[in-house]
Amino acid sequence: MAPSQPFSVLPLSAVAGAEVRGFDANAPLSDGDFERIYQAWLDHGVVVFRNQIMTPESHERFSQKFGPLKGHILVQYLLTGHPFTLVLSNKRVNGLPVGLEDAGRYWHSDVSYEDIPPDGSLLYALEIPPAGGDTLFANQYRAYEALPAQLKERLIGLKARHVFNYAKLQAQAGSERQPLTDEQKKQLTGAVHPVVRTHPATQRKALYVNPGFTIAIENLPKPESDALLNELFSYATHESVVYRHTWQPHDAVLWDNRCMMHHATTYDRKYVRHMHRTTIAGSRPY
Ligand code: SIN
């Protein structure tokens, strides 16, 4: 039986985020320790483990404790030999980008454009610029709870369409995104999800629309759908629900895509930002 580790769980803000301090993700994990970390993930939405030394193998191994892993539609950016590790990086080897440089520079919940979006993601920082490149997290339970009662009422039964508009991202100035294959284009059919989802583990309601991927509320005329989405986005991204994570090298950050959105921020590209992300498979939102 694995011995227990003497770690503490310290909230990082009143809104979201907790640091698990005094924990080694490479050490054998006891059931009791896993329960505490799992509970911190549910309670705080974002869990920060500082000073971790993770190889791709140990990163995938630790991530798998939270559920089976899934790859990513952008197979071009998966680490060679590691089908569950997505490389987010501006690093170049022999003049060629080794990862996706501009991932997630907009509010989104990971992969919400698929029918079965992931429960969680675990991002590990190998190299970090001296300034910039923070990740913002927005608590979507809080966003939902802040809605006026009439608006909550209006959302009952509403569904929204989510798509991955890769062509638009690729067309942005400075983008180095590689083209999609015909097969990838065929797979990107989009998905329809409830506007408000119930977290299967906490039973709490969270807003589940995001500016990155949600394009329309189903069965509403476009002007009405656009107006409603914009109103919801103003709650979803309000500064009162946001925690900002400033990265240190060797941070591993686990978040819950069912109740958190996130947004990567820019940095001076003369510095390196090199990260590995695993993605924890999920279930159909309801
Ligand atoms: C992402 O997973 O969306 C990217 C997050 C980041 O690079 O900060």
Side-chain angles (χ1 to χ4, degrees), residues 88 103-104 108 110 123 133-135 247 255 262 264 273 275 277:
L88 308 182
H108 66 289
D110 282 330
L123 186 58
D134 294 351
T135 306
W247 291 91
W255 63 83
H262 59 285
R273 187 176 188 269
M275 332 269 277
R277 195 188 92 189

Side-chain angles (χ1 to χ4, degrees), residues 167-179:
K168 185 171 146 202
L169 297 171
Q170 205 184 13
Q172 279 173 358
S175 171
E176 293 185 325
R177 285 175 181 254
Q178 293 173 23

